[in-house]
Amino acid sequence: LSSAILIWNNARVYNLDVAIGGSIDPGDHQKNYFTNVNIGIYANTWNSNSIKIMGNKFDNSNYFMEPLNTIFYNSAITIQSPTHAYPHTPDEARTAIIGHYQIYDNEITDFRIGIFAGRLRNLRVGTDENDVELPNKIHFHLGSNPGTTENYAGIWLQNCR
């Protein structure tokens, strides 16, 4: 998997807090700029306490899209949890860690998938932890006749609660 930032958390790491980006404060210089990348941020997490992705800029206007062996290629932000995030057995219920995930105030231009979130609980998209609205801005410049057979999505949520 090729991504600019990869978070691959396995079952041995607990209570991981990750923040990628900057705040809305103009003096905060923590913001990131991703350009011409296949996947900007990819997080596959089992036991995270929280992941916050905010205030970043993603621009693939000049990217030559090369499909990979994943349906998530050319995505700005992909964050997902393995299937056991939804416990089906008593053992899975005892070991399930329920994190908090926030994706807000990002600007995304010309990615096939802007934001993908799968199998997550406690997900906030477009608001911070204080319920302040900080929308993600997603722009596609496909033209009037894109002629593409690919599926494009601004925000794709799958099995999230």
Side-chain angles (χ1 to χ4, degrees), residues 82-104:
T83 56
H84 82 270
Y86 289 106
H88 298 289
T89 68
D91 280 344
E92 289 175 350
R94 280 192 295 278
T95 60
I97 303 284
I98 301 170
H100 297 273
Y101 307 95
Q102 300 170 36
I103 304 169
Y104 61 86

Side-chain angles (χ1 to χ4, degrees), residues 23-43:
S23 70
I24 58 173
D25 178 354
D28 185 349
H29 300 287
Q30 301 291 326
K31 296 182 180 190
N32 299 295
Y33 181 63
F34 301 87
T35 183
N36 300 324
V37 296
N38 186 33
I39 300 173
I41 298 171
Y42 180 83

Side-chain angles (χ1 to χ4, degrees), residues 43-47 79-85 97 101 118-120:
N44 186 326
T45 178
W46 295 1
N47 298 318
I79 180 170
Q80 59 188 347
S81 193
T83 56
H84 82 270
I97 303 284
Y101 307 95
R119 297 184 303 267
L120 298 176

